[in-house]
Amino acid sequence: MERSVEIDRPVGDVFNYVRFIDNHRHFSIWQMADPDMEVTSTGEDGQVGYVHSWDSQVRKVGAGSQEITEILGRERISYELRFERPMRATNYSNVHFLSLPHEHTRVTWDFSGEIAFPMSLFSFFIRRMLARDIDKNLANLKDKLEE
């Protein structure tokens, strides 16, 4: 699944903001859902191998970690997401950056992973909910960078 937004900023500005996971707290509804969650990290933020871990008592936030697994120029950042709670899963996400005319950037966020049985029975609803959340994240990112 993937979702996109166009941002009125040059690709370098958008890429350099998104690559730092610490900045995600300003646009990610998942991070904003619990400002009191416990956060730890290893490595250097914005670099391959950086791991951002969280632990929250808010059920929908749960616990897990996000690792930067690849950075391809200013074109793509890849992540592995390891969820511990409320449901154990490993998923993969990429954020793609495309330079557009007039110093605009198209940001495309994709998300993939397997949904184990019995949750797979609800995969249509899970995908719809995830799409809505990613749309909100992208709208927040657009608002933040176009301030």
Side-chain angles (χ1 to χ4, degrees):
M1 157 175 72
E2 65 179 41
R3 311 302 280 181
S4 296
V5 70
E6 187 175 311
I7 298 176
D8 184 15
R9 292 288 293 271
V11 70
D13 292 354
V14 178
F15 172 83
N16 285 324
Y17 186 79
V18 173
R19 71 181 259 201
F20 294 100
I21 293 178
D22 187 52
N23 287 336
H24 294 201
R25 63 192 166 99
H26 300 293
F27 66 87
S28 169
I29 63 168
W30 303 307
Q31 288 198 29
M32 293 187 294
D34 182 5
D36 297 323
M37 76 175 107
E38 183 180 322
V39 174
T40 58
S41 63
T42 59
E44 185 177 339
D45 194 0
Q47 301 296 318
V48 171
Y50 178 75
V51 178
H52 167 92
S53 301
W54 70 92
D55 190 353
S56 171
Q57 297 309 307
V58 175
R59 179 166 164 60
K60 83 178 229 180
V61 177
S65 63
Q66 176 179 4
E67 179 177 354
I68 300 174
T69 57
E70 183 179 28
I71 297 176
L72 180 63
R74 295 184 313 180
E75 297 173 21
R76 186 184 76 227
I77 303 170
S78 299
Y79 305 97
E80 181 175 293
L81 299 148
R82 296 178 290 269
F83 300 98
E84 301 298 323
R85 287 191 332 266
M87 177 170 57
R88 189 175 286 274
T90 299
N91 297 110
Y92 303 91
S93 181
N94 298 285
V95 181
H96 304 266
F97 305 86
L98 178 64
S99 182
L100 300 173
H102 311 293
E103 297 195 330
H104 283 73
T105 302
R106 177 172 308 278
V107 177
T108 301
W109 192 335
D110 70 44
F111 197 89
S112 64
E114 302 216 4
I115 302 172
F117 185 82
M119 292 306 290
S120 59
L121 298 173
F122 303 100
S123 63
F124 170 78
F125 299 105
I126 292 170
R127 280 195 291 272
R128 195 166 82 185
M129 181 182 68
L130 183 59
R132 186 182 65 236
D133 288 353
I134 291 174
D135 283 340
K136 287 178 187 174
N137 289 344
L138 288 170
N140 289 344
L141 176 63
K142 178 180 175 69
D143 289 346
K144 180 69 178 170
L145 292 177
E146 291 182 354
E147 293 183 330

